[in-house]
């Protein structure tokens, strides 16, 4: 039987095919008055990569290198399936420890994108240090690469960078030569055997998951049905079977590849689940799945703006933001709002949504307002979340994040409506031009409406004086939350 943990090398380099004295590949960089020489050397009987930086005095300085690497059979698009490892040694020099940064990047047109390891402290007394990191952990570490973080794991060309100390470097009193050695670079990929359930959503060990989550997975190639186990006790989910379901066998013999818990899950709770793939005509069946887990947050998503795209309206899959939200674009003298950028230049990487100023994820919603002729600007969203019944479980707060452009005049009044019942923003009026993300929490009871039948949400900017103004807000992560008041 195939195991659940097959691993293959998608890039491996021990440098033994290099000639002693050959220059090292890639971009050798240095900051300020420093020289950097890279070459392959014989060290204790092995060919290793040597990087030597000769430092000057009385100025911040650092050095490093960045090298492209060819990948083979890197078919998974999940960073959690990849492990990056190498051996590294701070051989000599007055930097002891030598503070090193390592970034793992994928190549894209126009740049490299990826994440870095936590800063390493390399002591000479430690000699060779083995570094091994799962790339999914690098995403969680969130030490971002300066050109961007849009990893594309299946690209045939990656790169990695090693250098330090971190920017802007360190000033030294006397010049010396710092020597760094690198060996045994290896990147492996976890391969899930095709007969097992795989690619769980949410990803295994995810945190802060919405309490209305629907579970899904990729089915095994040979199964025609499956058993799904789900609960809050790892041992129950791990040990359960059709003969002893432990009260966690929630879907037996299903042909579906998703499971809706039907109702809201408990907030801030860890859940475990398992999918056993079945084909009664195959003697190897069932294929017992791995126990996956996730931990809920305290929220339900109303709109996080991640699903919108630029696909033409007449094509399948089109989901432009203005097709979902309504605005005043057709009648600006009455309602001065526009949802999304009205004329993005796709050739210059512009979109209907915002992709640089975001609070969570990769997109936010641009809300353009113009009250110079209209008395208000309002965008509205029809509500389908929870079927419009916002009294479920302990939901009691509506939360959204907004970012006001620093050029916005601090003259308009921000507000939110539910079923046309308005709540105005009670914070500082200057917040609409603060140039930072601000969280706005609204007690649902303040709307004084029937919360079992919420049909529409609105976000608006209202003229407060004789002369209105125009500007732009970015909206992100509109949520319903279960907020528990702290006891005094």
């Amino acid at each position: 039987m195939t195991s659940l943990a097959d691993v293959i090398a998608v890039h491996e380099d021990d440098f033994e095919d290099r000639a002693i004295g050959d220059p090292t590949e890639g971009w050798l960089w240095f900051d300020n008055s420093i020289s950097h020489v890279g070459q392959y050397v014989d060290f204790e009987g092995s060919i290793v990569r040597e990087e030597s930086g000769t430092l000057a005095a009385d100025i911040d300085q650092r050095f490093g290198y960045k090298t492209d690497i060819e990948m083979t059979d890197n078919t998974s698009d999940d960073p959690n399936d990849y492990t990056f490892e190498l051996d590294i040694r701070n051989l000599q020099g007055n930097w002891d420890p030598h503070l090193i940064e390592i970034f793992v990047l994928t190549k894209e047109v126009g740049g490299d994108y990826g994440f870095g390891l936590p800063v390493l402290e390399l002591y000479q007394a430690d000699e060779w240090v083995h570094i091994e990191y799962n790339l999914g952990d690098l995403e969680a570490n969130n030490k971002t690469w300066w050109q961007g973080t849009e990893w594309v794991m299946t690209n045939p060309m990656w790169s990695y960078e090693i250098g330090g100390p971190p920017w802007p470097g360190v000033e030294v009193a006397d010049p010396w030569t710092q020597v760094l050695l690198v060996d045994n670079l290896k990147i492996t990929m976890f391969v899930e055997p095709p007969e097992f359930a795989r690619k769980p959503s949410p990803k295994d060990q995810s945190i802060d998951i919405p309490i209305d989550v629907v579970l899904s997975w990729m089915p095994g190639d040979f199964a025609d049905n499956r058993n799904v186990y789900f609960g809050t006790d790892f041992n129950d989910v791990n040990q359960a079977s059709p003969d002893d379901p432990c009260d966690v066998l929630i879907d037996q013999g299903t042909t579906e590849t998703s499971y809706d818990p039907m109702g809201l899950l408990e907030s801030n709770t860890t859940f475990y689940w398992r999918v056993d793939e079945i084909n009664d005509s195959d003697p190897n069946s069932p294929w017992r799945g791995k126990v996956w887990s996730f931990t809920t947050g305290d929220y339900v998503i109303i709109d996080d703006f991640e699903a919108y795209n630029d696909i033409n309206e007449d094509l399948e899959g089109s989901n432009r933001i203005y097709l979902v939200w309504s605005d005043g674009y057709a009648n600006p003298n009455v309602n001065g709002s526009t949802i999304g950028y009205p004329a993005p230049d796709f050739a210059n990487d512009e979109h209907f949504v915002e992709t640089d100023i975001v609070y969570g994820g990769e997109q936010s919603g641009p809300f353009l307002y113009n009250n110079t002729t209209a008395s208000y600007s309002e965008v509205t969203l029809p509500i389908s979340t929870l079927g419009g019944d916002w009294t479920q479980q302990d939901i009691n707060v509506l939360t959204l994040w907004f970012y006001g452009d620093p050029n916005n005049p601090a003259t308009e009044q921000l507000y939110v409506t539910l079923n046309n019942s308005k709540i105005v923003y009670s914070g500082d009026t200057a917040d609409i031009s603060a140039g930072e993300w601000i969280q706005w929490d609204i007690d649902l009871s303040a709307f004084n409406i029937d919360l079992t039948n919420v049909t529409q949400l609105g976000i608006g900017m209202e003229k407060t004086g004789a002369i209105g103004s125009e500007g732009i807000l970015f909206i992100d992560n509109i949520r319903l939350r279960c907020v528990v008041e702290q006891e005094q």
Side-chain angles (χ1 to χ4, degrees), residues 24 27-28 67 157 210 249 274 279 283 377 388 399 443 459 481:
T24 56
W27 170 44
L28 276 60
T67 298
M157 186 73 71
L249 176 54
R274 191 183 100 215
N279 185 331
S377 299
T399 294
D443 191 323
I459 301 173
R481 297 175 55 220

Side-chain angles (χ1 to χ4, degrees), residues 24-30 36 38 40 49 51 63-69 101-108 110-114 145-148 157-164 180 182 185:
T24 56
E25 305 87 356
W27 170 44
L28 276 60
W29 55 264
F30 55 90
H36 179 186
Y40 291 100
R49 179 168 183 151
E51 306 293 329
F63 70 98
Y65 70 91
K66 178 174 172 292
T67 298
D68 292 342
I69 52 178
E101 295 182 298
I102 300 179
F103 288 89
V104 181
L105 314 167
T106 58
K107 304 287 288 185
E108 283 287 287
D112 299 312
Y113 302 90
W145 175 249
W146 66 274
Q147 285 185 296
M157 186 73 71
W158 289 18
S159 60
Y160 73 99
E161 181 178 42
I162 298 178
L180 191 71
V182 175
L185 171 66

Side-chain angles (χ1 to χ4, degrees), residues 165-233:
W167 175 263
V170 173
E171 181 177 317
V172 301
D174 300 304
W176 75 77
T177 297
Q178 192 79 29
V179 179
L180 191 71
L181 304 181
V182 175
D183 200 6
N184 298 322
L185 171 66
K186 187 176 183 181
I187 301 174
T188 57
M189 184 183 72
F190 172 83
V191 180
E192 296 176 291
E195 57 265 42
F196 293 91
R198 55 202 188 274
K199 305 294 183 188
S201 177
K203 291 180 180 179
D204 188 24
Q205 302 182 44
S206 296
I207 61 174
D208 198 32
I209 299 301
I211 57 178
D212 62 340
V213 65
V214 175
L215 313 181
S216 64
W217 59 91
M218 181 183 292
D221 289 358
F222 311 124
D224 55 21
N225 70 98
R226 53 205 48 88
N227 294 337
V228 181
Y229 302 87
F230 179 76
T232 57
D233 187 287

Side-chain angles (χ1 to χ4, degrees), residues 383-392 395 418-419 444 447-456 480:
I383 292 300
S384 59
T385 306
L386 302 182
D389 182 359
W390 289 7
T391 64
Q392 299 182 44
I395 287 174
L418 290 182
N419 293 2
L444 287 176
F447 287 100
N448 196 28
I449 63 170
D450 179 6
L451 292 172
T452 66
N453 187 31
V454 180
T455 60
Q456 180 177 276
L480 294 173

Side-chain angles (χ1 to χ4, degrees), residues 279-323:
N279 185 331
D280 291 334
S281 65
D282 191 315
N284 293 313
S285 172
W287 295 278
R288 187 183 188 279
K290 175 185 176 183
V291 177
W292 298 313
S293 71
F294 65 89
T295 302
T296 54
D298 66 353
Y299 66 94
V300 173
I301 294 173
I302 298 175
D303 199 343
D304 59 8
F305 300 92
E306 298 300 307
Y308 300 119
N309 58 40
D310 302 323
I311 298 174
N312 287 337
E313 295 180 37
D314 56 348
L315 297 179
E316 183 179 356
S318 177
N319 193 36
R320 294 182 172 183
I321 188 170
Y322 61 79
L323 298 176

Side-chain angles (χ1 to χ4, degrees), residues 388-441:
D389 182 359
W390 289 7
T391 64
Q392 299 182 44
Q393 211 184 76
D394 297 319
I395 287 174
N396 56 2
V397 169
L398 172 68
T399 294
L400 62 84
W401 290 81
F402 67 89
Y403 179 108
D405 187 287
N407 296 315
N408 292 344
T411 56
E412 311 301 277
Q413 176 64 63
L414 174 63
Y415 65 87
V416 166
T417 67
L418 290 182
N419 293 2
N420 295 315
S421 176
K422 181 190 297 184
I423 299 293
V424 299
Y425 181 65
S426 59
D428 192 331
T429 56
D431 285 349
I432 66 169
S433 56
E436 64 182 16
W437 285 102
I438 295 174
Q439 180 178 351
W440 183 11
D441 293 332

